[in-house]
Amino acid sequence: MDQEFFAGLVKNVSDGPTPFVNMAQLQAEAVEERHVRLRLPVAERHLNHVGIAYAGSEFVLAEIAGGTLFMATYGTDEFVPILKGVELKFLKPGTKDLVVDLSLTEEEAERKIAPVRERGRGDYFLEIPVFDVDGEQVAQMDFNYYALPAKK
């Protein structure tokens, strides 16, 4: 994976293949090998009926961060992640910009993908905390991705 690859992942965060995600206007603050930091600007488009961050917007932030981390860790030639399940816990109202900052060590990355490589496909689990810009955790999302073989 080279700088062009990571630049493509950055572009996909806000201008990718899914129009709904593009409307979220997520900001990629860091996309590098085994590390992703995305921001959701909590502005009018992301506020619910009581003036706090809409749950769906928080979900989009976390899901795109998790998928981007998968690709920034393993590339796109071997596997492609799809979402199989998620457990969501909203801990406090999000009233400020929200951030997901994820990273894996080489050892963690290898341990997570080993069962998938063994079978050629399989479950891939990722815990994703969502914080506001002041460092207060507002949500916890535990994702179960399913890694499929990439089409060649």
Side-chain angles (χ1 to χ4, degrees):
M1 297 180 287
D2 58 15
Q3 287 305 98
E4 186 177 328
F5 175 78
F6 290 111
L9 291 181
V10 167
K11 183 179 184 302
N12 277 344
V13 166
S14 58
D15 187 24
T18 308
F20 183 82
V21 172
N22 297 340
M23 290 187 315
Q25 297 179 341
L26 300 176
Q27 299 168 358
E29 296 183 344
V31 178
E32 52 202 6
E33 188 172 359
R34 298 185 323 276
H35 177 233
V36 170
R37 180 181 168 92
L38 303 185
R39 178 186 294 250
L40 175 80
V42 177
E44 187 176 339
R45 80 174 51 240
H46 294 293
L47 298 178
N48 68 11
H49 59 289
V50 295
I52 61 175
Y54 173 59
S57 295
E58 291 185 40
F59 172 81
V60 167
L61 170 65
E63 200 279 326
I64 296 303
T68 302
L69 178 67
F70 185 97
M71 292 181 281
T73 301
Y74 308 108
T76 55
D77 292 340
E78 190 176 6
F79 298 107
V80 61
I82 60 169
L83 190 58
K84 181 176 176 182
V86 62
E87 182 178 332
L88 307 152
K89 293 178 188 159
F90 297 100
L91 306 173
K92 68 176 276 194
T95 58
K96 302 173 183 176
D97 285 4
L98 301 178
V99 176
V100 170
D101 194 342
L102 303 171
S103 60
L104 296 171
T105 66
E106 278 187 64
E107 295 78 20
E108 290 170 323
E110 285 305 314
R111 188 176 68 252
K112 284 179 163 299
I113 203 68
V116 175
R117 284 194 172 129
E118 224 172 80
R119 288 190 56 226
R121 63 179 56 221
D123 292 313
Y124 181 90
F125 299 95
L126 195 57
E127 296 174 358
I128 302 178
V130 179
F131 293 91
D132 69 17
V133 292
D134 292 334
E136 293 287 324
Q137 188 172 3
V138 301
Q140 177 65 42
M141 304 194 191
D142 298 331
F143 284 83
N144 178 1
Y145 290 94
Y146 196 77
L148 293 169
K151 294 181 181 178
K152 300 194 184 213

